């Protein structure tokens, strides 16, 4: 058995989109770049360390995914709330850069 088995529930898709995010109910927002996404969440690169467990509000600024928007509509939400699941410093980055994994919060409807 592979001890590094993939725990993902949804198929992950590569994505090249620009987002802006903020801590929930906070004024300051920050830019980031989406690396990949799935129906349950996304991974993005940020210059800001995000505390796991925090709630963030994410809005897509520019969508440049290779697949059509319709193909990725289930995985890249235009605006959403998400929970930070992990945040790791990226090795080899020129400046402070972090990979951030978030899980979308379920819609209220």
């Amino acid at each position: 058995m592979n001890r590094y088995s993939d725990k993902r529930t949804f198929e992950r898709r590569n994505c090249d989109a620009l987002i802006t995010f903020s801590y929930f109910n906070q004024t300051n927002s920050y830019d980031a770049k989406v690396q990949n996404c799935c129906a349950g969440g996304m991974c993005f690169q940020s210059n800001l360390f995000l505390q796991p467990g925090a709630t963030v509000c994410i809005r897509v600024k520019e969508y440049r995914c290779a697949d059509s928007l319709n193909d990725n509509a289930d995985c890249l939400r235009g605006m959403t709330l998400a929970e930070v699941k992990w945040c790791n410093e990226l090795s080899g980055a020129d400046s402070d850069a972090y990979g951030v994994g978030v899980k979308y919060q379920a819609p209220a409807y």
Side-chain angles (χ1 to χ4, degrees), residues 24-70:
F24 184 65
N25 286 339
Q26 297 295 314
T27 307
N28 295 338
S29 63
Y30 308 92
D31 292 332
K33 183 178 177 185
V34 177
Q35 304 296 310
N36 57 59
C37 62
C38 68
M42 72 170 67
C43 175
F44 61 87
Q45 183 176 336
S46 169
N47 290 332
L48 180 72
F49 175 83
L50 295 171
Q51 186 66 43
T55 299
V56 291
C57 180
I58 300 170
R59 183 178 58 86
V60 174
K61 290 174 57 175
E62 185 177 335
Y63 183 84
R64 301 183 303 221
C65 291
D67 299 330
S68 73
L69 181 58
N70 291 336

Side-chain angles (χ1 to χ4, degrees), residues 3-96:
R3 67 183 190 146
Y4 297 108
S5 63
D6 195 346
K7 297 179 184 178
R8 295 185 181 112
T9 304
F10 303 101
E11 178 185 348
R12 190 160 293 218
R13 298 181 184 183
N14 290 331
C15 188
D16 184 18
L18 300 177
I19 61 170
T20 185
F21 69 89
S22 63
Y23 281 106
F24 184 65
N25 286 339
Q26 297 295 314
T27 307
N28 295 338
S29 63
Y30 308 92
D31 292 332
K33 183 178 177 185
V34 177
Q35 304 296 310
N36 57 59
C37 62
C38 68
M42 72 170 67
C43 175
F44 61 87
Q45 183 176 336
S46 169
N47 290 332
L48 180 72
F49 175 83
L50 295 171
Q51 186 66 43
T55 299
V56 291
C57 180
I58 300 170
R59 183 178 58 86
V60 174
K61 290 174 57 175
E62 185 177 335
Y63 183 84
R64 301 183 303 221
C65 291
D67 299 330
S68 73
L69 181 58
N70 291 336
D71 290 343
N72 286 308
D74 64 335
C75 70
L76 188 61
R77 298 179 180 181
M79 185 169 192
T80 191
L81 291 176
E83 177 186 355
V84 177
K85 299 306 277 184
W86 53 267
C87 183
N88 299 320
E89 189 170 7
L90 297 175
S91 61
D94 292 339
S95 61
D96 292 338

